[in-house]
């Protein structure tokens, strides 16, 4: 009897192991196809995270390369006075006659850097995927690399632009370098039309050597033309505001900015933190009670960081680090410091660093809270908050009061805005939340916020009158400061009205000679928890040693008690002693700025950042940071071994990171091809959807951040067309060049079937024209707000929906053509 073999249950399952470069590592072909598909999908997503992390290091190397400067010696400009140039004592315009003016000039032009190294950084995964695929296929064409390039271009232009457009609410963002934007848009369109011409018209389904050479040479041609547009050469009008300062490293004016605005924006003097500017900023910060020198230095670092213009590369690195729980590129502020920082920035006429400004109470209406802090019992229920208007009392003023959670949470401990405290009958430590004032636009421009635009509300667990004391036992004040403000606080209760007397006590400083002493009484109203004593300081303009006097609290009334700190010593220092304090603040600020630099200077610092959550800033790490750090720990540990960008000008890191990206993209190509095979998708469908979206997600988050934080739209969408052009000219030009040279040497031809790729390129070219046309309409029509991003709500949402629909149309038609559901011959 003939033996019948047992049926092979896996014979009908796809093996999907053909034409792979590095995989499989182990043979899993006998596993269930559903399990294999799920594992390969998870592996693909994890690989996207890995390639994003190594690209982060690659872009840090690019930042190190493009930030290099050189010294330029320039002729001095004499100070012009009464129509003639003058010099006094051999000094001209602040310089000696024999001292040339020295400035730091960036080696790399911004436009060239954006179109070469920075575009290469954002497009490196797609470009290397195309190169690795052709080399791995024996210099034969594949679908995954070209499909990813076209799909990524569609996602970048349509989806990222739509997200940025809708993400800017209540404001507008215009492209400042519009000439460069137009040039890159034309070249981006030309790139994909050239693909159609090569694959369909000149030599159908065949790429010849000269065509590959022309494709590759279009990349330097784009760079030269864009640089000419930026510099105003070859018939291009020069960019407005594009003067000599455009070449300066840290001092680059943007569209329409004056020299003064540039200095205020950069907050730096000759690339260094300016001491006078820091002192002025610290004085503004000190108007908010309860802030230490460390808090002020952290806020100053945040101000310096936010005031600097950032490139798309900086935002992309920040986006990847947010996704991996790594060290941030911005100072981490507590909720209290964040509200203070927001209040400083959102003040309608807030002073810039280096410019101390006092509100004009004669011309403007000043609106503020009556006190910076109040304390209430948990059982009080609803209570009143006084908002004080003074100065100009004419006209109507509208303000909004909003609450911000601190340790007290809305809905759990209090009801917002009314304001109502919730009593949960459980003992709790003292909790606080904040109330914030914002001026509403009602047509009255003569309104501004006072210095107390944020009120801290403390919820107490008892109803005692409270204990009154000073905040600390000593204070340091500069002799030339004019006055000293001493804070008296009321703790452990705030019920009822109380009072406390105070008086000054002469020590080495004498009242009437060194300060204007005296006595008085502080009255704390019901729930009021803070009062200030101001003592004038006399500057006798004579060098002398440090002197001090004391202020004493005594005779409390209303049931209050005196706390342990009932005396405070005020030390009056000369300028040298005060400079020591300022120097300490400058050191703290510089330390905070150094902590958020893009890259580390040593290998040990780089490895330490990679192995610790939030780059070692555990205090500000959230649960999400810990989760993301755990998921990405392996990638960060491996890629931290790449040499830091400070070695050899960043080029060693550049080469090693590029090699790492190449290895990662080779693995991604194998995994994506296998996953598509398992679920029945052709390589081209997998490329224009899953792979294109996965490699473009970091750019999406980066562009959205840039759209919200930058003054212009250049970093958000201005570089998209340039990156798309680089994708074609390098991502296809370089692989085609390698393949055609190989086939030329072998006496064979390089066959590139157009089919679905040609149709996808044609559809993209059509939707790209529509998208760029929409952006131009938004720029010049008032209906859209005359800006590419933001603007009125209805036009903004409508534009967003239209761009997303164009992307869905592109994907749908491409997939239908690939599956031969529709057939378009052209």
């Amino acid at each position: 009897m003939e033996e019948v073999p047992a049926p092979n249950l896996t014979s009908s399952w796809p093996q999907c192991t053909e034409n792979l470069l590095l995989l499989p590592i182990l043979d899993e072909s006998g596993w269930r196809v559903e399990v294999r598909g799920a594992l390969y999908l998870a592996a693909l997503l994890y690989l996207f995270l890995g390639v994003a992390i190594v690209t982060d290091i690659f872009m840090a190397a690019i930042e190190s390369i493009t930030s290099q400067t050189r010294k330029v010696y320039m002729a001095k400009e004499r100070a012009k006075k009464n129509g003639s140039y003058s010099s006094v004592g051999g000094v001209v315009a602040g310089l000696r006659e024999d001292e040339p003016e020295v400035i730091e000039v960036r080696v790399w032009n911004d436009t060239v850097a954006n179109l070469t190294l920075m575009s290469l950084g954002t497009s490196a995964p797609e470009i290397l995927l195309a190169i690795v695929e052709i080399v791995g296929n024996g210099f034969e064409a594949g679908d995954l690399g070209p499909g990813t390039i076209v799909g990524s271009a569609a996602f970048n232009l349509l989806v990222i632009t739509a997200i940025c457009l809708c993400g800017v609410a209540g404001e507008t963002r215009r492209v400042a370098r519009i000439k460069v934007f137009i040039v890159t848009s034309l070249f981006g369109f030309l790139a994909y039309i050239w693909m159609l011409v090569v694959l369909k018209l000149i030599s159908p389904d065949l790429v010849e050597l000269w065509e590959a050479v022309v494709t590759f040479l279009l990349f330097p041609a784009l760079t030269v033309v864009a640089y000419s547009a930026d510099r105003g050469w070859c018939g291009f009008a020069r960019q407005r505001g594009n003067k000599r300062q455009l070449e300066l490293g840290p001092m680059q004016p943007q569209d329409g900015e004056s020299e003064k605005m540039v200095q205020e924006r950069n907050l730096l003097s000759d690339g260094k933190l300016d001491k006078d500017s820091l002192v002025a900023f610290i004085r503004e910060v000190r108007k908010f009670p309860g802030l230490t020198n460390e808090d002020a230095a952290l806020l100053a670092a945040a101000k310096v960081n936010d005031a600097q213009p950032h490139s798309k590369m900086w935002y992309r690195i920040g986006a990847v680090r947010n996704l991996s729980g790594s060290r941030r590129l911005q100072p981490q502020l507590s909720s209290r410091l964040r509200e203070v920082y927001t209040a400083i920035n959102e003040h309608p006429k807030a002073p810039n660093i280096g410019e101390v400004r006092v509100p004009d109470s004669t011309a403007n209406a000043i609106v503020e809270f009556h006190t910076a802090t109040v304390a209430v019992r948990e059982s009080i229920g609803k209570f009143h908050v006084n908002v004080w208007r003074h100065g100009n009392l004419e006209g109507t003023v509208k303000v909004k009061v909003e609450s911000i959670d601190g340790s007290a949470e809305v809905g759990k401990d209090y009801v917002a805005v009314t304001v109502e405290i919730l009593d949960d009958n459980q003992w709790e430590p003292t909790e606080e939340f904040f109330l914030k004032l914002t001026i509403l636009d009602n047509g009255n421009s003569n309104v501004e916020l006072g210095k107390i635009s944020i009120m801290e509300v403390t919820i107490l667990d008892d109803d005692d009158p409270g204990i009154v004391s000073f905040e600390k036992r000593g204070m340091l004040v500069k002799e030339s400061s004019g006055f000293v403000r001493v804070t008296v606080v009321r703790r452990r209760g705030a019920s009822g009205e109380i009072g406390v007397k105070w008086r000054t006590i002469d020590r080495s400083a004498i009242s009437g000679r060194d300060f204007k002493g005296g006595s008085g009484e502080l009255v704390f109203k019901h729930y009021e928890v803070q009062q200030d004593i101001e003592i004038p300081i006399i500057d006798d303009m004579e060098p002398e040693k440090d002197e001090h006097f004391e202020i004493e609290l005594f005779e409390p009334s209303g049931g209050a008690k005196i706390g342990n700190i009932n005396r405070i010593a005020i030390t009056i220092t000369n300028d040298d002693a005060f400079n020591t304090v300022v120097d300490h603040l400058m050191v703290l600020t510089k330390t905070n700025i150094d902590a958020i630099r893009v890259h580390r200077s040593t290998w040990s610092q780089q490895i330490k950042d990679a192995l610790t959550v939030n780059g070692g800033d555990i205090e500000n790490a959230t649960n999400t940071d810990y989760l993301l750090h755990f998921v990405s720990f392996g990638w960060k540990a491996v890629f931290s071994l790449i040499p830091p960008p400070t070695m050899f000008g960043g080029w060693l890191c550049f080469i090693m990171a590029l090699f790492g990206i190449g290895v990662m993209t080779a693995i991604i190509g194998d995994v994506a091809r296998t996953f598509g095979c398992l679920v029945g998708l052709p390589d081209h469908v997998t490329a224009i959807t899953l792979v294109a979206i996965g490699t473009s997600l970091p750019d999406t988050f980066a562009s959205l951040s840039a759209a919200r934080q930058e003054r212009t739209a250049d970093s958000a969408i201005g570089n998209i067309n340039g990156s798309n052009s680089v994708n074609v000219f390098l991502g296809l030009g370089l692989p085609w060049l390698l393949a055609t040279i190989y086939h030329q040497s072998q006496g064979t031809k390089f066959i590139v079937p157009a089919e679905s790729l040609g149709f996808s390129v044609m559809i993209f070219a059509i939707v790209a024209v529509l998208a760029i046309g929409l952006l131009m309409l938004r720029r010049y029509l008032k209906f859209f707000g005359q800006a590419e991003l933001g603007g009125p709500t209805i036009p903004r949402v409508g534009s967003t929906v239209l761009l997303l629909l164009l992307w869905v149309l592109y994907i749908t038609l491409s997939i239908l053509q690939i599956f031969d559901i529709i057939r378009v011959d052209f």
Side-chain angles (χ1 to χ4, degrees):
M1 185 175 182
E2 185 178 357
E3 183 177 354
V4 178
N8 186 357
L9 298 179
T10 64
S11 61
S12 62
W13 293 353
Q15 300 302 308
C16 300
T17 57
E18 297 82 9
N19 301 323
L20 300 183
L21 187 60
L22 299 177
L23 299 182
I25 299 176
L26 55 88
D27 183 13
E28 81 288 349
S29 59
W31 299 3
R32 291 183 60 85
V33 68
E34 296 86 353
V35 175
R36 294 178 67 195
L39 289 177
Y40 272 95
L41 177 60
L44 189 60
L45 297 177
Y46 191 59
L47 287 167
F48 285 148
L49 177 62
V51 78
I53 291 174
V54 69
T55 304
D56 169 16
I57 299 174
F58 180 64
M59 299 188 78
I62 294 175
E63 190 275 340
S64 178
I65 294 171
T66 57
S67 63
Q68 294 177 10
T69 62
R70 59 187 175 88
K71 291 183 178 181
V72 174
Y73 297 86
M74 304 185 66
K76 300 182 296 295
E77 295 181 3
R78 293 174 178 268
K80 195 169 186 179
K81 185 176 182 181
N82 297 328
S84 61
Y85 293 96
S86 62
S87 62
V88 179
V91 178
V92 181
L95 296 171
R96 290 168 51 94
E97 288 285 355
D98 56 348
E99 290 181 351
E101 181 183 359
V102 181
I103 60 174
E104 293 285 335
V105 179
R106 284 188 178 180
V107 176
W108 286 79
N109 172 269
D110 282 347
T111 298
V112 175
N114 285 336
L115 289 176
T116 54
L117 293 181
M118 292 186 186
S119 291
L120 179 60
T122 57
S123 305
E126 295 94 329
I127 295 173
L128 290 179
L129 181 60
I131 295 174
V132 168
E133 183 183 40
I134 274 196
V135 175
N137 287 345
F139 296 97
E140 297 296 337
D143 291 332
L144 198 63
T148 300
I149 287 175
V150 180
S152 177
F155 187 89
N156 290 344
L157 179 60
L158 302 174
V159 178
I160 293 182
T161 301
I163 292 175
C164 293
L165 196 154
C166 194
V168 179
E171 298 179 293
T172 57
R173 301 284 187 272
R174 288 169 60 90
V175 174
R177 297 174 181 265
I178 188 62
K179 300 294 191 304
V180 176
F181 180 78
I182 292 175
V183 168
T184 55
S185 298
L186 292 175
F187 267 84
F189 178 74
L190 173 64
Y192 292 91
I193 295 300
W194 173 249
M195 286 179 60
L196 286 178
V197 171
V198 169
L199 298 178
K200 282 293 186 179
L201 298 180
I202 300 178
S203 53
D205 298 331
L206 175 67
V207 176
E208 299 177 352
L209 179 59
W210 73 270
E211 294 170 335
V213 171
V214 170
T215 303
F216 180 76
L217 291 180
L218 283 174
F219 170 64
L222 164 65
T223 305
V224 171
V225 175
Y227 180 70
S228 300
D230 180 49
R231 302 292 298 180
W233 299 343
C234 303
F236 290 103
R238 193 172 181 85
Q239 295 279 114
R240 186 165 60 124
N242 196 9
K243 300 179 182 178
R244 176 178 64 85
Q245 291 87 349
L246 189 61
E247 298 181 353
L248 301 183
M251 288 275 190
Q252 294 192 9
Q254 298 177 2
D255 188 27
E257 285 189 332
S258 65
E259 186 70 22
K260 182 176 183 296
M261 292 171 64
V262 174
Q263 294 172 355
E264 292 172 349
R265 172 166 57 82
N266 283 317
L267 310 179
L268 300 174
S269 176
D270 297 327
K272 299 179 181 179
L273 189 65
D274 184 68
K275 178 182 288 188
D276 293 337
S277 298
L278 178 63
V279 171
F281 180 72
I282 297 300
R283 286 173 179 168
E284 288 300 311
V285 170
R286 287 294 179 82
K287 292 180 180 179
F288 296 88
L291 298 182
T292 63
N293 288 343
E294 289 74 14
D295 294 335
L298 190 60
L299 290 171
K303 186 70 175 177
V304 170
N305 180 74
D306 290 347
Q308 297 299 306
H310 298 295
S311 65
K312 173 72 172 291
M313 178 190 62
W314 186 89
Y315 286 103
R316 194 182 193 278
I317 294 175
V320 172
R321 294 189 180 181
N322 289 336
L323 292 174
S324 59
S326 302
R327 180 173 58 88
R328 301 297 195 266
L329 296 183
Q330 294 175 310
Q332 299 296 289
L333 305 179
S334 64
S335 57
R336 167 63 170 164
L337 292 182
R338 175 56 59 187
E339 289 308 312
V340 171
Y341 186 70
T342 302
I344 293 174
N345 289 336
E346 290 185 353
H347 196 292
K349 298 182 180 178
N352 293 290
I353 289 184
E355 180 185 350
V356 180
R357 182 184 171 281
V358 178
D360 185 0
S361 60
T362 59
N364 298 330
I366 313 299
V367 181
E368 58 184 327
F369 290 113
H370 71 286
T371 183
T373 58
V374 296
V376 296
R377 299 191 310 274
E378 188 179 26
S379 59
I380 189 176
K382 297 181 181 180
F383 71 98
H384 295 286
V385 174
N386 294 327
V387 179
W388 180 36
R389 173 182 177 179
H390 57 98
N392 187 346
L393 302 180
E394 297 180 358
T396 302
V397 174
K398 293 182 180 180
V399 296
K400 178 176 69 173
V401 181
E402 55 184 321
S403 63
I404 296 96
D405 287 350
S407 58
E409 300 178 6
V410 63
K412 178 181 177 182
D413 301 300
Y414 71 96
V415 176
V417 181
T418 36
V419 175
E420 180 180 357
I421 305 300
L422 300 180
D423 190 353
D424 54 13
N425 296 321
Q426 295 180 357
W427 182 88
E428 296 175 305
T430 298
E431 299 175 311
E432 76 283 337
F433 63 95
F434 306 94
L435 297 178
K436 175 184 173 183
L437 279 178
T438 304
I439 294 176
L440 297 177
D441 185 10
N442 64 333
N444 188 352
S445 60
N446 295 327
V447 183
E448 56 183 308
L449 293 177
K451 65 180 181 180
I452 309 178
S453 60
I454 294 179
M455 173 187 284
E456 180 179 5
V457 181
T458 303
I459 304 175
L460 305 175
D461 238 7
D462 54 62
D463 57 355
D464 291 336
I467 299 176
V468 182
S469 66
F470 292 110
E471 281 191 313
K472 45 192 174 182
R473 297 185 182 277
M475 287 184 65
L476 192 68
V477 60
K478 183 181 175 182
E479 186 179 27
S480 58
S481 62
F483 68 93
V484 59
R485 181 182 292 113
V486 181
T487 300
V488 181
V489 295
R490 177 187 189 182
R491 297 189 175 95
R492 298 185 184 179
S495 178
E497 183 175 302
I498 65 170
V500 63
K501 295 182 180 180
W502 63 270
R503 61 191 170 199
T504 59
I505 301 174
D506 290 354
R507 295 301 183 193
S508 58
I510 306 300
S511 177
R513 186 190 69 186
D514 302 303
F515 68 98
K516 295 181 181 179
S519 60
E521 182 177 7
L522 297 178
V523 177
F524 291 80
K525 297 181 181 179
H526 191 44
Y527 301 138
E528 196 170 7
V529 294
Q530 177 177 308
Q531 289 281 359
D532 293 331
I533 302 173
E534 285 194 3
I535 304 296
I537 303 297
I538 300 175
D539 188 358
D540 54 16
M541 304 300 292
E542 295 180 2
E544 52 194 352
K545 295 183 179 180
D546 294 347
E547 302 166 325
H548 76 281
F549 66 95
E550 294 181 357
I551 305 176
E552 181 186 25
L553 298 177
F554 65 101
E555 290 188 15
S557 59
K561 299 178 181 178
I562 298 292
N564 292 332
I565 309 180
N566 67 324
R567 285 195 181 191
I568 183 172
I570 310 298
T571 302
I572 306 174
T573 70
N574 56 32
D575 288 349
D576 292 336
F578 181 78
N579 285 336
T580 302
V581 178
V582 176
D583 290 341
H584 176 62
L585 284 172
M586 290 195 68
V587 170
L588 289 176
T589 304
K590 290 179 180 178
T591 301
N592 290 324
I593 293 175
D594 290 338
I596 58 175
R597 295 193 184 278
V598 170
H599 55 75
R600 293 302 197 184
S601 58
T602 65
W603 229 319
S604 60
Q605 290 176 328
Q606 181 173 283
I607 295 174
K608 180 181 177 181
D609 282 352
L611 300 183
T612 55
V613 64
N614 211 15
D617 186 10
I618 299 177
E619 181 180 354
N620 293 310
T622 63
N623 293 333
T624 303
D625 290 330
Y626 278 100
L627 176 61
L628 295 174
H629 175 68
F630 174 77
V631 171
S632 59
F633 179 82
W635 294 126
K636 293 196 293 186
V638 170
F639 294 130
S640 67
L641 300 179
I642 294 176
T646 52
M647 292 184 176
F648 302 100
W651 287 107
L652 180 60
C653 179
F654 179 91
I655 296 172
M656 295 299 295
L658 191 62
F659 174 77
I661 296 173
V663 174
M664 291 294 297
T665 53
I667 301 174
I668 286 176
D670 285 355
V671 173
R673 187 174 289 109
T674 304
F675 173 76
C677 176
L678 289 171
V679 298
L681 292 178
D683 287 349
H684 196 69
V685 175
T686 306
I688 66 174
T689 54
L690 189 60
V691 180
I693 295 174
T695 55
S696 299
L697 274 180
D699 289 321
T700 306
F701 296 115
S703 293
L704 181 58
S705 298
R708 290 176 173 173
Q709 298 181 34
E710 290 292 305
R711 295 182 180 182
T712 68
D714 292 75
S715 295
I717 64 170
N719 296 324
I720 286 178
N721 290 301
S723 296
N724 289 346
S725 303
V726 172
N727 271 348
V728 174
F729 299 148
L730 286 185
L732 290 184
L734 188 56
W736 284 358
L737 185 60
L738 295 175
T740 52
I741 291 175
Y742 172 81
H743 284 280
Q744 186 90 355
S745 66
Q746 299 296 316
T748 56
K749 296 182 179 181
F750 179 44
I751 305 300
V752 181
E755 298 180 356
S756 56
L757 177 62
F759 180 78
S760 182
V761 170
M762 182 189 72
I763 296 300
F764 171 73
I766 295 173
V767 298
V769 170
L770 295 176
I772 298 298
L774 174 63
L775 291 178
M776 291 298 98
L777 288 176
R778 290 186 53 83
R779 181 179 183 86
Y780 295 107
L781 293 185
K782 188 175 182 181
F783 174 74
F784 293 102
Q786 293 183 322
E788 287 82 0
L789 304 182
T793 302
I794 295 179
R796 175 167 54 90
V797 174
S799 302
T800 301
V801 172
L802 178 58
L803 289 173
L804 292 177
L805 287 177
L806 288 176
W807 182 71
V808 173
L809 177 66
Y810 159 76
I811 293 292
T812 303
L813 292 178
S814 298
I815 293 177
L816 291 178
Q817 170 77 6
I818 293 168
F819 281 105
D820 205 21
I821 297 175
I822 62 173
R823 171 58 58 184
V824 178
D825 294 324
F826 58 97

